[in-house]
């Protein structure tokens, strides 16, 4: 689908509301299941509008530059590119995050990690040290720092471009002064101990990656998806490193695939960890496993 194919959808003289309507119809005609929502998001963002602008001044023409931007975005969406990739940004935990080729698009299921961390007993207090392994866009680290104003945090990632984006996202969301970022393989070579360690590692079995929705398979970074032959490679590494990363009483929280709870329960004891809780996502699937050091003896 070329950008030229979308040229006739919206013209400079088209009103804002009409542009959104045409965009939705055009995307629906090309099989986009979320056509109305996608068209609304693209129209508001690319034209720099609020919902009130669209409702109260919907007759205002979009202009030539607005039409060109919207038409190009529609062509990209019709080709299967996700809205978040087109915009280069997405919202997570009510906060805005810039994205890049080396970062996942933050998903609602991952907010379950934040919820699980906030529900820890006892709750972390001032001075808590937070670690986000494989931070990507920094969404988990930034969201938790925004909830814990007395906390400091560190994010690790193998990708230098991802770390630059994460650092920028921390600054944009007002927590940059309390967040640090380090290139590395999970927690290898880190010298400190942390009260809360979180991670959303790759957990999809290699053989399954090619069968993912094309919007994920073709646009999310492969390294952030592929968890090895059984999908558990990253967990083995993280759990093996956990005893050297957790402060006394510290908690490790990892996002998991819907069918991986039993595997994590089986892996934890070998690293001296016990599963303290499993939190479910909005669909009712096990989504986060919370672990602490096992009781001695």
């Amino acid at each position: 689908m070329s950008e030229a194919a979308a040229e006739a959808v919206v013209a400079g003289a088209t009103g804002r509301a009409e542009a959104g309507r045409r965009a939705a119809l055009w995307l629906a005609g090309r099989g986009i299941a979320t056509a109305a929502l996608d068209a609304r998001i693209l129209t508001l963002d690319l034209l720099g509008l609020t919902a009130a602008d669209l409702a109260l001044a919907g007759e205002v023409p979009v202009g030539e530059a607005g039409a060109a931007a919207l038409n190009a975005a529609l062509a990209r969406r019709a080709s299967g590119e996700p809205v978040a990739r087109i915009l280069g940004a997405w919202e997570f935990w009510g906060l805005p995050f810039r994205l890049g080729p080396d970062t996942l698009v933050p998903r609602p299921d991952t907010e379950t990690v934040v919820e699980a961390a906030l529900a820890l007993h006892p709750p972390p207090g001032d001075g808590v040290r937070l670690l986000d392994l494989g931070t990507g866009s920094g969404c988990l680290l930034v969201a938790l720092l925004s909830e814990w104003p007395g906390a400091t945090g560190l994010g690790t990632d193998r990708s230098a471009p991802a770390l630059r984006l994460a650092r920028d996202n921390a600054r944009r969301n007002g927590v940059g002064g309390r967040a640090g970022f380090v290139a590395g393989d999970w927690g290898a070579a880190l010298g400190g101990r942390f009260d809360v360690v979180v991670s959303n590692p790759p957990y999809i079995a290699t053989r399954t990656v090619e069968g993912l929705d094309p919007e994920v398979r073709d646009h999310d970074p492969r390294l952030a998806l592929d968890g090895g032959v059984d999908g558990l490679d990253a967990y083995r590494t993280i759990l093996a490193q956990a005893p050297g990363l957790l402060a006394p009483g510290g908690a490790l929280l990892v996002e998991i695939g819907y069918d991986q709870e039993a595997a994590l329960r089986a892996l934890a004891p070998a690293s001296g960890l016990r599963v303290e809780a499993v939190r479910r996502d909005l669909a009712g699937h096990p989504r986060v496993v919370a672990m602490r050091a096992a009781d001695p003896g």
Side-chain angles (χ1 to χ4, degrees):
M1 179 69 63
S2 68
E3 291 188 5
E7 285 178 358
V9 180
V10 177
T14 307
R16 295 164 168 175
E18 176 63 14
R21 188 186 72 81
R22 291 186 188 182
L25 288 172
W26 192 84
L27 289 176
R30 281 146 186 81
I32 303 299
T34 53
L37 176 61
D38 294 352
R40 183 174 177 80
I41 293 172
L42 291 171
T43 300
L44 292 175
D45 191 278
L46 295 173
L47 300 181
L49 305 175
T50 66
D53 293 329
L54 205 59
L56 300 176
E59 76 285 353
V60 175
V62 299
E64 295 301 327
L70 188 52
N71 286 330
L74 291 173
R76 291 170 66 181
R77 183 69 190 101
S79 74
E81 189 171 354
V83 170
R85 294 293 178 193
I86 296 169
L87 299 180
W90 206 239
E91 184 179 286
F92 179 85
W93 201 251
L95 303 170
F97 289 87
R98 291 181 59 232
L99 306 176
D102 289 9
T103 66
L104 288 172
V105 175
R107 292 177 170 83
D109 284 344
T110 301
E111 293 188 349
T112 312
V113 180
V114 181
E115 295 169 353
L118 296 178
L120 287 173
H121 298 288
D126 286 348
V128 65
R129 298 193 66 206
L130 172 65
L131 174 62
D132 180 11
L133 298 172
T135 194
S137 66
C139 64
L140 287 176
L141 181 68
V142 171
L144 285 169
L145 288 177
S146 74
E147 294 286 344
W148 292 332
T152 58
L154 183 68
T156 71
D157 207 286
R158 287 181 288 180
S159 165
L163 289 171
R164 287 193 291 270
L165 265 177
R167 185 177 293 110
D168 181 65
N169 283 327
R171 285 195 298 261
R172 287 170 177 263
N173 284 291
V175 300
R178 296 187 284 122
F181 298 91
V182 175
D185 187 12
W186 305 114
L190 292 182
R193 299 264 180 163
F194 301 86
D195 303 294
V196 180
V197 179
V198 296
S199 185
N200 175 20
Y203 53 71
I204 298 169
T206 302
R207 68 183 183 281
T208 308
V209 173
E210 289 305 317
L212 293 175
D213 187 306
E215 291 189 18
V216 175
R217 181 193 65 215
D218 298 340
H219 296 281
D220 276 341
R222 180 81 178 223
L223 283 176
L225 299 173
D226 192 337
V229 173
D230 60 0
L232 301 174
D233 283 0
Y235 297 116
R236 293 188 180 94
T237 299
I238 291 170
L239 267 60
Q241 293 173 354
L245 297 173
L246 290 172
L252 168 66
L253 302 98
V254 294
E255 180 170 339
I256 62 170
Y258 73 95
D259 58 351
Q260 292 175 319
E261 177 184 352
L264 266 291
R265 287 187 179 278
L267 288 173
S271 295
L273 299 171
R274 60 180 171 81
V275 174
E276 184 174 78
V278 175
R279 194 173 186 94
R280 295 179 179 271
D281 59 25
L282 291 175
H285 299 134
R287 184 57 58 185
V288 179
V289 175
M291 293 165 275
R292 295 187 195 263
D295 296 329

